[in-house]
Amino acid sequence: MIPFRHKALWLSCLTALASMMLPGDARAQQSDLETAVKATYLYKLAPFVQWPADTGADYAMTSDHGTTFNLCIAGRDPFGALLDDAVRGLMITDRPVIVRRMGVVLDGAGCHVLYVSPDGRQPAEEIIERVHGKPILTVTDGSDRPAETGIIDFVEQDGNIRFRIDLAKAEAGNLAISSKLLSLAVSVVEAPSDVEPAPAQTSPPEPSPVEPAAGGPQE
């Protein structure tokens, strides 16, 4: 696990990213900065997510892929060498971070973080469905359709690159999201509660009129 003091530093970095204004006057400069911010988010988010310890061999940190922390890119890669250079020498959960690029996602085996490019040949909805329920932190890029969004979804708000979080999808994959990370999200989709609401209380029925007993006194 990452020491608390390092988490505090990374949290301050995330806060700075969330408040970083994108330039509005130069389109190419804006695109480059937006890409850099998203690339930074990909590895800065990980220390605030807890992966389950009892996952199957294809996903556990102790599998063949588990000697490294695998950040996967599905579809067209917008980051290129920028991301490779950023994670070189970086350790998460005491494992070196590597970037894996995938043309087609079958089940996401070996991925810990999976960025789903909106421009890939494989539809984002298909990828999200294939890895749903697996311990993979899926990250998508501003889709308006819930079926195409991951656990983390990038959005632009007031000139900043921010993100929203889907706790229902995280819970399906048995991933725990830190409250510190939740506090930075622009919105959070809550996981459904397993507790059914108690039935509404109704007023007792009015007693029916009592009929006089046979042979009793008459008015």
Side-chain angles (χ1 to χ4, degrees), residues 16-97:
L17 284 173
S19 60
M20 183 178 291
M21 295 292 294
L22 298 178
D25 54 347
R27 187 176 301 273
Q29 183 183 2
Q30 177 178 357
S31 177
D32 290 345
L33 181 57
E34 180 178 327
T35 300
V37 170
K38 291 175 180 177
T40 305
Y41 267 134
L42 289 182
Y43 60 87
K44 293 289 188 184
L45 295 170
F48 300 94
V49 178
Q50 183 176 351
W51 276 261
D54 57 348
T55 52
D58 287 337
Y59 301 94
M61 296 290 187
T62 55
S63 70
D64 291 340
H65 299 292
T67 55
T68 56
F69 186 93
N70 300 305
L71 202 167
C72 301
I73 308 294
R76 187 185 69 83
D77 176 16
F79 309 113
L82 175 68
L83 184 58
D84 292 307
D85 293 340
V87 302
R88 186 171 293 116
L90 183 66
M91 304 285 287
I92 295 179
T93 63
D94 297 325
R95 291 165 173 80
V97 179

Side-chain angles (χ1 to χ4, degrees), residues 133-210:
K134 297 180 173 63
I136 300 172
L137 183 69
T138 49
V139 182
T140 48
D141 211 339
S143 175
D144 293 326
R145 300 184 62 237
E148 295 178 347
T149 58
I151 296 171
I152 304 288
D153 186 49
F154 292 138
V155 293
E156 184 177 339
Q157 185 181 74
D158 300 328
N160 303 323
I161 297 299
R162 305 288 301 277
F163 55 87
R164 49 196 176 195
I165 298 177
D166 192 325
L167 278 182
K169 291 180 179 179
E171 187 176 272
N174 202 19
L175 297 178
I177 309 294
S178 164
S179 60
K180 293 183 175 64
L181 189 59
L182 294 175
S183 69
L184 294 177
V186 297
S187 64
V188 176
V189 177
E190 297 289 346
S193 173
D194 293 332
V195 179
E196 296 185 1
Q201 295 294 323
T202 57
S203 301
E206 293 292 333
S208 57
V210 178

